[in-house]
């Protein structure tokens, strides 16, 4: 029995020793059972409310490849506390013929998943409720209900039992002076960007310890974040302004505003940094700015879980060679280094027209994609990949055929036992199971095609036509085709590095040219595990050792 051990501790139990303890107990159990430990997986200080953890994702990936037969953990809640996630994990392991065993529950069954999953989900809800009650109690006592804000220091002290007293804050005089300066400058008409430039120029660290950005100052008035919106500066703690819910698709928390009547507001005059007059002046200017944006049609529209396509072809892919920051729009037609314009910590002030950038990159991609040397390399990688698929496919088909022959032999043996007076009921039950398995394997063989040929006879022509087709689709009038082509082009490019050279921009495109074109022949189910997804991408990022080469375009 090949075994994988999994261990986890969450952020409410900050002890690396906890991982070592779980591993030790699981190893002892495995040794007693005579199991072979092939791998150990762990997640440190990560909540069990999500499966988006590197350790458990590696565990799932290796299970699908058949690295082990059983997953061993201290308890089910180490694997996940979320009811949906533990059920999904159980399904994935069952599909891969991997059992789950814990020291607390033994071998995990559907019953465990249902009952323990519900109990763990209730535990999470109860923990969240207790945490919120504790936070509310601290706020009503005039203490902070959460993290620390810029301008204040955390007061560290213990109670009579040696437990830390949470929520006490004191004013940090140096940071408080920076807060007053930001409010005075903004009230005097300076923009948040100008203020951030000045702070960065003087080397004043931002709240995160890095550089100031205009968003750090502006924040979001509705959420109450950002320097200009923190009401603690006028002696008020506002708690429960928003709540967080987990996106079931990404596992990430999303902020949702709470009704104003649910807010908890506590006066803390000892923490006041600003006078009311300065605060109100800043609020009045913010209101005027919002009104001006509304009149110009640029008001921000709140959306929930809206996933938008990139506005432009290469949005989010362009980077500054000087600082590593992104390029963003500085006018209707020009893009420039966002760090240079928003923080002032980069000296790159060379801009480029967006349409010029897109035209140069697209023309270069079209030219280089059909380069004979690159196509020869593509064919080489294509052949290697299809060879691998053929070997895997033929091996799986042979294994399925061998299993059918084995089942037939076992059925013949069972028939002989019946003729000799064996226990017919038990033998018949086993025969039914074998017949069912035989039908499953035969169905798999009927659906699976032979592995594809090494080279498609018209691959060169197909390759070139696909490349030209992408380019033509981007120039055409069909919106659906343009969108599809843009998505494919974006996957060809990892990033576009823009370097200022003598007042002009040098473009360096990095990405995987050959790995995105779907040039392999289509099959129904090529020789993998029954039900596995069809692999269309025939060449990966390994166009050469170390990854795909960049293509310098000037």
């Amino acid at each position: 029995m090949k075994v994988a051990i999994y261990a986890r501790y969450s952020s409410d139990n900050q002890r690396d020793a906890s991982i070592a303890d779980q591993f030790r107990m699981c190893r002892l159990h495995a040794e007693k059972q005579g199991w072979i430990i092939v791998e150990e997986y762990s997640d440190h200080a990560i909540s069990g409310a999500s499966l988006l953890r590197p350790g458990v994702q590696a565990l799932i990936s290796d299970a699908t490849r058949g690295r082990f037969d059983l997953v061993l953990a201290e308890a089910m809640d180490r694997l996940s506390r979320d009811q949906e996630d533990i059920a999904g994990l159980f399904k994935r392991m069952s599909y891969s013929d991997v059992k789950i065993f814990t020291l607390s529950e033994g071998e995990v069954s559907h019953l465990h998943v249902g009952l323990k999953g519900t109990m763990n989900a209730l535990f999470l809800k109860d923990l969240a409720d207790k945490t919120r009650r504790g936070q509310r109690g601290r706020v009503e006592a005039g203490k902070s209900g959460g993290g620390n804000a810029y301008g204040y220091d955390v007061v560290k002290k213990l109670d009579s039992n040696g437990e830390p007293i949470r929520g006490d804050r004191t004013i940090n005089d140096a940071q408080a002076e920076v807060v007053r300066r930001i409010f005075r400058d903004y009230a005097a008409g300076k923009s948040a960007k100008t203020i951030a430039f000045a702070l960065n120029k003087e080397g004043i660290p931002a709240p995160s310890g890095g550089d100031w950005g205009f968003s750090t100052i502006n924040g979001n008035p509705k959420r109450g974040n950002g320097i200009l919106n923190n009401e603690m500066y006028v002696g008020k703690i506002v708690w429960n302004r928003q709540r967080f819910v987990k996106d079931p698709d990404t596992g990430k928390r999303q902020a949702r505003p709470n009704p104003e009547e649910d807010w908890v507001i506590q006066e803390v005059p000892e923490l006041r940094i600003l006078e009311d007059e300065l605060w109100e002046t800043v609020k009045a200017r913010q209101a005027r700015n919002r009104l001006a944006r509304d009149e110009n049609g640029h008001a921000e529209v709140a959306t929930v879980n809206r996933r938008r396509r990139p506005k432009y072809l290469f949005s989010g892919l362009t980077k500054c060679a000087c600082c590593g920051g992104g390029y963003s729009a500085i006018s209707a037609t020009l893009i420039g280094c966002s760090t240079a314009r928003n923080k002032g910590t980069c000296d790159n002030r060379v801009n480029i027209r967006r349409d010029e950038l897109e035209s140069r990159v697209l023309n270069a991609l079209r030219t280089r994609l059909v380069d004979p040397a690159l196509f020869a390399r593509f064919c080489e990688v294509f052949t290697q990949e299809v060879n691998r698929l053929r070997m895997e496919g033929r091996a799986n088909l042979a294994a399925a055929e061998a299993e059918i022959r084995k089942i037939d032999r076992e059925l013949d043996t069972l028939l002989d036992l019946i003729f000799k007076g064996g226990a017919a009921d038990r033998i018949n039950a086993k025969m039914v199971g074998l017949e069912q398995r035989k039908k499953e394997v035969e169905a798999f063989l009927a659906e699976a095609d032979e592995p594809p040929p090494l080279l498609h006879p018209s691959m060169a022509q197909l390759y070139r036509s696909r490349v030209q087709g992408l380019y033509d689709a981007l120039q055409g009038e069909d919106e659906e085709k343009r969108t599809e082509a843009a998505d494919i082009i974006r996957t060809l490019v990892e990033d576009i590095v823009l370097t200022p050279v003598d007042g002009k921009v040098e473009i360096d495109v990095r990405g995987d040219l050959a790995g995105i074109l779907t040039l392999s022949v289509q099959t129904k189910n090529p020789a993998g595990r029954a039900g596995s997804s069809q692999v269309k991408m025939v060449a990966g990022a390994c166009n050469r050792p170390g990854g795909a080469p960049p293509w310098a375009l000037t």
Side-chain angles (χ1 to χ4, degrees):
M1 178 75 73
K2 293 184 293 184
V3 176
I5 297 177
Y6 178 80
R8 176 188 66 83
Y9 75 87
S10 57
S11 55
D12 59 354
N13 180 18
Q14 296 283 351
R15 285 199 317 120
D16 275 312
S18 175
I19 296 286
D21 291 341
Q22 292 175 52
F23 278 153
R24 179 172 51 81
M25 296 302 294
C26 289
R27 288 191 201 108
L28 287 173
H29 185 84
E31 289 173 5
K32 289 180 181 178
Q33 301 298 321
W35 295 340
I36 300 172
I37 300 172
V38 297
E39 190 60 84
E40 293 178 344
Y41 305 85
S42 62
D43 287 304
H44 297 246
I46 301 179
S47 169
S50 170
L51 281 183
L52 298 178
R53 294 171 262 146
V56 83
Q57 287 298 317
L59 175 80
I60 294 172
S61 177
D62 286 350
T64 61
R65 292 199 290 266
R67 285 201 62 195
F68 44 80
D69 309 305
L70 183 140
V71 174
L72 178 60
E74 183 185 46
M76 275 179 58
D77 60 12
R78 296 302 88 199
L79 292 164
S80 178
R81 288 189 183 277
D82 184 272
Q83 192 171 16
E84 181 182 0
D85 287 344
I86 193 64
L89 180 64
F90 181 79
K91 283 184 178 180
R92 289 183 178 93
M93 294 298 110
S94 297
Y95 177 76
S96 301
D97 292 328
V98 175
K99 292 181 170 56
I100 300 176
F101 190 98
T102 69
L103 303 182
S104 297
E105 293 88 10
E107 184 174 335
V108 175
S109 65
H110 287 87
L111 187 62
H112 288 100
V113 171
L115 295 178
K116 290 289 289 189
T118 301
M119 292 172 62
N120 287 330
L122 291 174
F123 169 82
L124 280 179
K125 183 179 184 305
D126 184 57
L127 180 63
D129 290 342
K130 287 180 179 177
T131 300
R132 291 181 62 79
R133 284 198 298 270
Q135 289 175 334
R136 182 174 188 133
R138 288 201 298 272
V139 170
E140 291 177 345
K143 301 176 184 290
S144 173
N148 193 33
Y150 185 78
Y152 301 94
D153 290 326
V154 176
V155 178
K156 297 180 180 179
K157 56 184 179 181
L158 305 176
D159 61 17
S160 57
N161 297 321
E163 295 294 325
I165 299 176
R166 305 182 188 278
D168 287 327
R169 301 289 185 267
T170 186
I171 294 175
N172 181 309
D173 292 331
Q175 292 181 1
E177 187 54 42
V178 175
V179 171
R180 296 187 189 100
R181 170 184 168 175
I182 291 172
F183 272 79
R184 287 195 298 266
D185 288 350
Y186 190 84
K190 292 184 179 180
S191 68
K193 185 182 294 185
T194 301
I195 296 170
F197 268 44
L199 294 173
N200 289 329
K201 189 174 182 180
E202 296 175 29
I204 298 173
S208 62
D211 297 324
W212 289 87
F214 68 89
S215 59
T216 308
I217 296 172
N218 274 335
N220 186 319
K222 291 183 179 180
R223 296 182 180 179
N225 56 26
I227 297 293
L228 296 179
N229 305 305
N230 189 347
E231 294 188 70
M232 192 182 290
Y233 297 146
V234 288
K236 292 180 182 179
I237 293 178
V238 181
W239 179 80
N240 202 36
R241 190 190 295 265
Q242 60 188 8
R243 67 190 187 280
F244 291 91
V245 295
K246 187 178 74 169
D247 186 328
D249 294 327
T250 65
K252 296 181 180 180
R253 297 197 312 162
Q254 302 285 339
R256 302 280 178 83
N258 286 329
E260 193 167 343
E261 57 267 22
D262 292 342
W263 298 1
V264 177
I265 302 175
Q266 182 67 35
E267 299 286 340
V268 282
E270 68 276 10
L271 297 180
R272 176 186 284 270
I273 291 177
L274 303 171
E275 297 301 323
D276 288 337
E277 183 179 355
L278 180 56
W279 172 268
E280 294 301 333
T281 302
V282 166
K283 293 293 110 179
R285 185 182 172 204
Q286 284 182 312
R288 290 195 299 272
N289 289 343
R290 283 197 297 273
L291 181 61
R293 287 198 301 272
D294 290 345
E295 290 175 349
N296 291 327
H298 299 309
E300 179 182 353
V301 180
T303 59
V304 176
N305 289 339
R306 176 173 293 178
R307 296 177 176 85
R308 297 179 299 173
R309 291 184 179 273
K311 186 175 182 180
Y312 300 104
L313 179 57
F314 296 123
S315 293
L317 298 176
T318 48
K319 291 181 172 55
C320 172
C322 301
C323 66
Y327 261 60
S328 58
I330 60 174
S331 72
T333 58
L334 293 176
I335 61 172
C337 175
S338 55
T339 304
R341 281 150 184 80
N342 296 334
K343 297 183 178 181
T345 55
C346 179
D347 296 327
N348 180 10
R349 293 282 178 169
V350 181
N351 308 322
I352 184 172
R353 288 180 61 91
R354 188 186 302 278
D355 56 358
E356 179 189 350
L357 170 72
E358 292 181 357
S359 176
R360 287 169 65 183
V361 172
L362 286 175
N363 281 324
L365 286 176
R366 180 178 59 164
T367 303
R368 295 303 304 276
L369 274 170
V370 295
D371 179 82
L374 180 63
F375 178 70
R377 179 58 179 153
F378 174 84
C379 291
E380 180 184 343
V381 177
F382 178 92
T383 304
Q384 293 172 357
E385 179 67 9
V386 177
N387 258 329
R388 183 185 66 80
L389 291 176
R390 283 174 60 84
M391 292 175 63
E392 290 181 358
R394 189 60 257 173
N396 283 334
L397 291 175
E401 292 165 353
E403 185 177 357
I404 288 180
R405 291 194 295 270
K406 182 181 177 183
I407 290 173
D408 286 335
R409 289 195 300 271
E410 290 184 12
L411 288 171
D412 291 340
T413 302
L414 292 174
L415 279 174
D416 290 340
L417 287 175
I418 292 177
F419 293 147
K420 294 176 181 178
D425 290 342
R426 294 180 60 187
I427 295 174
N428 185 61
K430 188 169 183 179
M431 291 177 70
V432 169
L434 288 171
E435 289 284 1
Q436 181 61 35
R437 177 56 185 166
K438 182 178 178 180
K439 289 179 181 178
E440 292 173 359
V441 178
E442 287 175 340
F444 165 68
L445 287 172
E447 288 293 318
D449 286 347
E450 283 293 320
L454 284 182
L455 288 176
H456 194 282
S458 58
M459 188 170 71
Q461 180 183 351
L462 177 61
Y463 182 93
R464 289 176 172 81
S465 67
R466 290 287 178 88
V467 173
Q468 185 63 41
L470 285 176
Y471 185 83
D472 293 342
L474 285 170
Q475 315 302 321
E477 299 294 329
D478 190 320
E479 180 64 29
E480 184 177 346
K481 288 184 178 179
R482 279 210 315 269
T483 300
E484 182 181 356
D487 288 343
I488 295 176
I489 288 290
R490 284 179 60 83
T491 58
L492 285 170
V493 178
E494 289 179 9
D495 52 51
I496 302 171
V497 181
L498 306 180
T499 307
V501 178
D502 298 330
K504 296 183 179 180
V505 174
E506 182 178 286
I507 305 173
D508 185 26
V509 184
R510 297 187 175 94
D512 176 18
L513 286 178
I516 307 304
L517 299 177
T518 56
L519 303 178
S520 64
V521 295
Q522 180 75 32
T523 63
K524 287 185 289 186
N525 186 15
R529 180 186 295 272
S532 65
S533 61
Q534 162 67 16
V535 179
K536 292 183 179 179
M537 308 311 174
V538 298
C542 299
N543 287 340
R544 68 174 184 183
W551 324 294
L553 318 175
T554 57

